[in-house]
Amino acid sequence: YQRRVHGVFVGAVVGYKRAPMEIPVDVNVIPRNIPEQRWYMRPPFTIMMAGILPFGAAFIELFFILSSLWLNRFYYVFGFLALVFIILTITCAEITIVMVYFMLCYEDYRWWWRSFFISGSSGFHLFLYSIFYFATTLRMKKFWSGVIYFGWMLVMSYTFMVITGTIGFIASFLFVRYIYASIKVD
């Protein structure tokens, strides 16, 4: 417990001693009007469709992970799991950067939360897959077994959403800072 407390204070000291992050360009006080977006650039569609790619990167491993959790099977391919996590990280970063770039090209500057939910929606796809896995693979007959299963899968899906969403947001944040730092304003 004491190590965590000391870690908080070390993080606070380091954080306060660093220089604040500077914005590469000035932001207008009056927000611009955003033009009408096409149907494929609206938030529900972009969030749900773009989340399929990060989920697809981890899809095959999910079967083995769920089998080890719920069917008492052994999981022993941790090296391959690490490789899948690296591929998942790259996929989350790439799809979020591409979608944020498209948003900025269509003059939609509200990319902050959408960049989190674009790759984070893979947690929703994970929960949908857990429903499919429950219906096709598991043979749970009791009500409370299903409640425990879906409760834990909801927690796992939320955690997966936070992890992938954070990866996507950080990648798009660094991307937007990089492209706006390259602009020369006279």
Side-chain angles (χ1 to χ4, degrees):
Y1 175 74
Q2 284 183 338
R3 288 183 183 169
R4 284 186 272 174
V5 172
H6 296 300
V8 167
F9 289 122
V10 169
V13 168
V14 170
Y16 280 118
K17 288 189 177 187
R18 290 184 79 182
M21 195 178 313
E22 294 183 23
I23 301 172
V25 293
D26 290 331
V27 179
N28 194 357
V29 178
I30 301 170
R32 294 180 58 187
N33 288 332
I34 299 171
E36 183 67 28
Q37 302 294 311
R38 299 199 174 194
W39 64 273
Y40 54 85
M41 287 304 295
R42 293 196 179 126
F45 185 78
T46 57
I47 288 171
M48 284 299 126
M49 290 298 115
I52 291 173
L53 288 175
F55 172 74
F59 170 71
I60 298 301
E61 280 306 296
L62 285 175
F63 175 78
F64 297 112
I65 291 170
L66 291 178
S67 295
S68 70
L69 286 175
W70 299 106
L71 296 176
N72 294 328
R73 295 187 182 153
F74 291 107
Y75 186 81
Y76 49 85
V77 199
F78 292 105
F80 190 68
L81 181 65
L83 179 67
V84 168
F85 182 72
I86 292 169
I87 293 171
L88 174 72
T89 303
I90 292 169
T91 306
C92 287
E94 286 179 344
I95 191 64
T96 308
I97 287 171
V98 167
M99 294 308 293
V100 166
Y101 179 73
F102 286 153
M103 287 171 46
L104 293 175
C105 286
Y106 281 101
E107 299 179 19
D108 190 356
Y109 54 85
R110 301 169 299 179
W111 62 270
W112 288 75
W113 278 105
R114 203 177 311 175
S115 68
F116 178 82
F117 288 117
I118 282 171
S119 59
S121 67
S122 57
F124 175 73
H125 296 289
L126 171 63
F127 191 73
L128 290 180
Y129 178 71
S130 70
I131 294 171
F132 174 77
Y133 185 82
F134 182 81
T136 59
T137 307
L138 296 180
R139 303 284 182 245
M140 293 184 184
K141 303 284 187 225
K142 300 196 175 178
F143 173 74
W144 291 110
S145 298
V147 169
I148 290 172
Y149 171 78
F150 284 114
W152 278 110
M153 288 311 299
L154 192 63
V155 169
M156 287 174 55
S157 300
Y158 177 74
T159 305
F160 193 69
M161 180 195 79
V162 169
I163 291 170
T164 56
T166 303
I167 292 168
F169 173 75
I170 290 172
S172 61
F173 180 74
L174 294 174
F175 170 73
V176 169
R177 278 189 53 130
Y178 178 76
I179 62 171
Y180 280 112
S182 324
I183 296 175
K184 304 291 184 205
V185 179
D186 294 328

